[in-house]
Amino acid sequence: MASFFLLFSLFFLDLNLASSVSHPLDPLSPSEISAVADVIKSSPLGASKSLAFHYVGLDEPDKPELLAWAAAAAATPPAPPRRAFVIARAERATHEIHVDIGTRSIVSDVVYRGAGFPTLTFTEQAAASALPLDYPPFVASVARRGLRLADVLCTTFSVGWFGAAETARRLLKVQCFLAGDTVNYYMRPLEGVTLVVDLDAMEIVEYEDRVEVPVPRAAGTDYRAKKQRPPFGPETKPGIAVQPEGKGFEIDGHMIRWANWEFHLGYDVRAGTVISLASVKDSDKGIFRRVLYRGFLSELFVPYMDPSEEWYFKTFFDAGEFGFGLFGVSLKPTTDCPANAAFIDAYVAGPDGKPIILSNAVCVFERYAGDVSWRHTEYGFPNEVITETRSDVTLVVRTVAAVGNYDYVIDWEFKTSGSIKIEVSLTGILEAKATPYTHADQIAGDEHGTLLAANTIGVYHDHFVTFHLDVDVDGPDNSFVKSKLTTVRIADGSSPRRSYWTVEKETAKTEADGRVGVAEPPAELLVVNPRKKTKMGNAVGYRLISHGGTAGSLLVDDDYPQRRASYSKKQVYVTAYNKSEKWAAGLYADESRGDDNLAAWSQRNRAIANTDIVLWYTLGFHHVPCQEDFPLMPLLSGGFELRPANFFESNPLIKTKPMQRAHLPNCSRN
Ligand SMILES: *[C@@H]1O[C@H](CO)[C@@H](O)[C@H](O)[C@H]1NC(C)=O
Ligand SMILES: *[C@@H]1O[C@H](CO)[C@@H](O)[C@H](O)[C@H]1NC(C)=O
Ligand SMILES: [Cu+2]
């Protein structure tokens, strides 16, 4: 969920960047975004005063076309036409518009009549947030509580869907907080007051002032360094990563090349970072081999566990409702990313269709964490100890989205071993509920959270972060294999042992076989290319490994938020590739009903063996808040890894030379 005050400095560049578009997967450039808006504004839709752009992004070429282009890239074949996909609203209708940028023409404009609405724009949220401040009943509620209206800030909350059958209006709920002596107003809710805004009319349609509880005090909530008083927290010495020979990667347009990796780095207003055409070099074969066609954060579902009037609807879809990429922050050198990072800007379209720069939205850096990639010490020889160690240096692509109160750090980490690791870290501010309680002993019933400070409950909730991973191991046609580890009992006395485990491989035939839950018996999950074998005859593949964050949703299946995010009980889905199946909670996540989501697509039960498949992985975190999460929580991370499994003939790093000792410049002062 989100708040919207001067989030964006709206000065944008109408630089004609000489259309420096060089790769068909490049995100829309500022001049392309402007061109798309111009085309739509000069169509009949342009006559509507209510025209607003809710999504503007690249409509990437069809996969076969793109793969053909990429395969022939050395011969510089003509690039496929540049197209944009736009979701715009005008006169209370949602339009899906495809624009051909080269010919500056509308290819199609279709009115969407199904359930759900597009991503909210930040201007309409800002406008809705401002409504209470001159709404007399609200002003009266503030006065009755003896609070200063000047200290009040309001933010917006998506309303969800709770079974209403009629075609819904575009609604947004607004709740308010008190800043005053702190910037951490999220810890000071004006509990009990909820407004409902009709977004198309931009007016308050419902007002409720239901309960009165104390607003938690400001003391102890501010997180700014300058506001802290002794005793101070732990201190560490300054330190930075130094690369005396410079960076080891190259940024060529949107292509990044580093060590044995190359990939395309894009950005989308809904997904944030998009990694495409990731290929790893096989030094034995001397060629790059494809691992990932396209990967991105598809959805982020955050349901809260308090069923009361003020809280039940808090079941957010941060990508689909708010735009994860839209909230990408400007990363700060040396704090958000290390000193050796390079920074890349991103561009998104504003609600008026004009380009907005998100400067330093992505950073790329080599991580020298002092870790080992492989080692061995050998004591077997009488007069000699053999030790070989290779350092682990990795390449990290980082974005941070501050979706209102919460901050998410998303790292894509490429390893020389061939692994791709994705890590999601949660930090930022919890959603707090005001309560009369000042001590846990006073609480008799279920308060749906933890008492974090006087009058402040941190409400139980989950984070489900779903990634779309179009894995193409050595080509598009792959299979999903579950190598189940099964216990075998020895009953015939043929061994002193009574049991062992072995591997039973099972290739998923249809999408039903591609759903894997968290509580299932141990299995290695692999994406293999059944047509490509190693010299030893094993199918080349990549293995999926969890690194924490394996929670599944605990809501009942017929609960409304669960219907909308019905995919959140399984950790893994494998679907047949379909270009339009990108967003796990559906294209229209706001007020969605679950009819167009990952679980619904999987129900088609398409064949998934030896064909182009997409792997979907959902990281899950149950969050029982604790006092250390107050007033702002320290980073909590989980992730997963795609790791080569019979992809190379042997350890690809055996022939890697030990890293040279860095010759550091002598910076001593005396
Ligand atoms: C592709 O996905 C869309 C959206 O789920 C669906 O309408 C369409 O029928 C699918 N196409 C195929 C060939 O499955
Ligand atoms: C660095 O410079 C200082 C001062 O000039 C000198 O004393 C020291 O020996 C130098 N260290 C190295 C490693 O060269
Ligand atoms: Cu949380």
Side-chain angles (χ1 to χ4, degrees):
M1 80 102 208
S3 72
F4 310 90
F5 312 95
L6 305 174
L7 266 178
F8 304 94
S9 27
L10 282 160
F11 51 113
F12 61 89
L13 325 163
D14 208 341
L15 320 168
N16 200 335
L17 289 175
S19 277
S20 63
V21 166
S22 53
H23 194 288
L25 292 177
D26 286 353
L28 299 182
S29 68
S31 54
E32 288 181 315
I33 292 172
S34 297
V36 168
D38 289 347
V39 168
I40 292 173
K41 285 175 186 166
S42 43
S43 80
L45 268 187
S48 166
K49 281 207 170 58
S50 65
L51 174 67
F53 293 80
H54 289 255
Y55 176 85
V56 177
L58 175 73
D59 174 22
E60 84 268 12
D62 288 344
K63 190 167 173 180
E65 197 180 1
L66 190 96
L67 289 176
W69 178 88
T76 57
R82 294 281 290 170
R83 287 189 174 180
F85 178 58
V86 174
I87 301 177
R89 293 268 306 169
E91 309 306 322
R92 296 176 185 248
T94 299
H95 291 253
E96 297 177 357
I97 308 166
H98 290 264
V99 175
D100 186 307
I101 299 171
T103 60
R104 305 212 163 210
S105 58
I106 290 180
V107 179
S108 62
D109 173 354
V110 176
V111 172
Y112 171 73
R113 298 184 199 281
F117 296 112
T119 310
L120 300 153
T121 73
F122 59 80
T123 23
E124 65 191 356
Q125 290 183 79
S129 303
L131 290 177
L133 300 177
D134 45 35
Y135 182 65
F138 180 76
V139 173
S141 294
V142 172
R144 199 172 57 250
R145 286 169 170 80
L147 305 170
R148 272 162 38 98
L149 194 62
D151 290 340
V152 173
L153 286 172
C154 301
T155 69
T156 49
F157 301 81
S158 45
V159 296
W161 173 69
F162 293 88
E166 81 274 14
T167 304
R169 288 180 292 176
R170 288 181 71 231
L171 300 176
L172 203 50
K173 293 202 177 183
V174 178
Q175 291 183 340
C176 303
F177 303 82
L178 231 72
D181 292 334
T182 180
V183 292
N184 194 348
Y185 57 90
Y186 290 111
M187 284 298 138
R188 307 191 68 205
L190 201 75
E191 200 67 45
V193 179
T194 308
L195 301 93
V196 184
V197 173
D198 180 322
L199 282 175
D200 289 319
M202 198 45 79
E203 63 186 26
I204 295 168
V205 292
E206 276 175 51
Y207 181 73
E208 198 162 38
D209 182 351
R210 213 175 59 95
V211 285
E212 222 167 289
V213 280
V215 175
R217 59 200 188 108
T221 62
D222 210 308
Y223 43 83
R224 289 174 295 175
K226 65 181 178 196
K227 292 287 175 181
Q228 307 310 317
R229 298 287 168 265
F232 294 114
E235 273 181 53
T236 52
K237 297 286 185 205
I240 55 169
V242 177
Q243 294 183 283
E245 293 169 32
K247 296 186 196 342
F249 58 89
E250 170 195 296
I251 302 180
D252 171 11
H254 285 84
M255 286 301 297
I256 310 240
R257 296 186 187 89
W258 170 78
N260 50 343
W261 280 102
E262 65 171 31
F263 57 90
H264 181 276
L265 173 59
Y267 198 88
D268 178 84
V269 66
R270 187 161 173 172
T273 303
V274 181
I275 302 289
S276 305
L277 299 172
S279 302
V280 64
K281 188 163 188 184
D282 184 324
S283 357
D284 285 340
K285 297 195 166 93
I287 51 163
F288 278 93
R289 297 169 64 190
R290 181 74 33 81
V291 178
L292 186 70
Y293 176 68
R294 220 153 151 75
F296 54 87
L297 184 154
S298 173
E299 193 49 88
L300 211 167
F301 172 50
V302 188
Y304 284 77
M305 295 300 141
D306 184 333
S308 70
E309 186 60 27
E310 285 75 25
W311 281 81
Y312 76 92
F313 54 88
K314 294 181 182 174
T315 53
F316 308 116
F317 292 85
D318 280 341
E321 292 174 340
F322 297 102
F324 195 75
L326 182 62
F327 289 95
V329 305
S330 185
L331 298 166
K332 295 276 179 291
T334 77
T335 52
D336 284 323
C337 309
N340 59 328
F343 293 83
I344 298 170
D345 298 337
Y347 299 91
V348 297
D352 57 0
K354 290 181 179 163
I356 295 170
I357 182 168
L358 304 179
S359 56
N360 292 5
V362 185
C363 74
V364 182
F365 59 91
E366 288 157 289
R367 178 179 275 160
Y368 295 84
D371 290 336
V372 167
S373 71
W374 65 262
R375 78 170 317 291
H376 182 61
T377 294
E378 179 54 62
Y379 293 115
F381 300 94
N383 300 311
E384 193 189 0
V385 176
I386 298 166
T387 291
E388 285 286 331
T389 308
R390 297 295 177 274
S391 306
D392 198 24
V393 180
T394 66
L395 187 76
V396 178
V397 175
R398 174 172 297 167
T399 42
V400 178
V403 192
N405 53 314
Y406 236 83
D407 298 51
Y408 294 92
V409 183
I410 311 291
D411 281 355
W412 285 78
E413 184 173 21
F414 295 85
K415 288 170 161 279
T416 49
S417 62
S419 275
I420 303 176
K421 266 181 83 172
I422 294 167
E423 188 171 69
V424 173
S425 304
L426 323 175
T427 177
I429 305 170
L430 296 189
E431 296 219 356
K433 177 182 179 171
T435 168
Y437 303 116
T438 54
H439 193 282
D441 289 351
Q442 300 160 351
I443 304 174
D446 187 351
E447 279 299 308
H448 313 291
T450 309
L451 191 67
L452 301 178
N455 309 117
T456 312
I457 298 270
V459 175
Y460 305 142
H461 60 277
D462 301 306
H463 306 259
F464 297 108
V465 192
T466 303
F467 285 86
H468 169 111
L469 302 159
D470 183 356
V471 179
D472 278 9
V473 178
D474 256 347
D477 289 347
N478 289 174
S479 293
F480 180 61
V481 173
K482 289 183 258 189
S483 285
K484 294 185 171 169
L485 310 192
T486 45
T487 301
V488 181
R489 171 170 276 282
I490 306 169
D492 61 2
S494 61
S495 162
R497 285 272 296 275
R498 290 188 174 170
S499 69
Y500 59 93
W501 63 255
T502 191
V503 174
E504 285 176 9
K505 286 189 186 168
E506 189 184 293
T507 298
K509 292 186 185 64
T510 65
E511 286 172 323
D513 305 327
R515 302 173 206 140
V516 185
V518 287
E520 290 176 17
E524 289 211 338
L525 304 177
L526 300 126
V527 174
V528 304
N529 186 325
R531 293 185 208 164
K532 297 266 167 70
K533 300 274 163 78
T534 60
K535 286 183 191 147
M536 297 302 104
N538 295 307
V540 306
Y542 259 73
R543 201 184 138 198
L544 173 67
I545 304 173
S546 290
H547 292 298
T550 55
S553 176
L554 298 174
L555 297 177
V556 297
D557 289 338
D558 60 342
D559 195 1
Y560 294 102
Q562 188 59 36
R563 284 166 66 170
R564 301 172 65 209
S566 44
Y567 58 86
S568 59
K569 284 202 172 165
K570 299 280 182 188
Q571 204 172 355
V572 173
Y573 279 83
V574 179
T575 58
Y577 176 81
N578 176 332
K579 186 182 159 187
S580 61
E581 292 175 355
K582 288 182 178 166
W583 309 111
L587 183 57
Y588 297 98
D590 182 39
E591 301 186 38
S592 67
R593 299 176 184 192
D595 49 348
D596 173 36
N597 69 14
L598 174 54
W601 309 330
S602 169
Q603 286 301 334
R604 293 184 188 147
N605 212 16
R606 291 164 286 193
I608 54 168
N610 199 2
T611 184
D612 194 0
I613 54 177
V614 177
L615 178 68
W616 304 77
Y617 188 84
T618 297
L619 277 162
F621 303 85
H622 297 307
H623 193 166
V624 177
C626 58
Q627 283 187 252
E628 289 81 358
D629 296 341
F630 177 89
L632 190 153
M633 76 176 278
L635 223 68
L636 176 70
S637 305
F640 61 97
E641 177 176 351
L642 294 166
R643 181 183 168 100
N646 302 319
F647 183 81
F648 296 112
E649 294 293 340
S650 60
N651 179 346
L653 298 180
I654 287 296
K655 293 189 187 176
T656 293
K657 293 180 191 144
M659 199 192 298
Q660 299 273 306
R661 269 193 66 174
H663 294 289
L664 298 177
N666 186 345
C667 306
S668 306
R669 289 220 185 97
N670 46 33

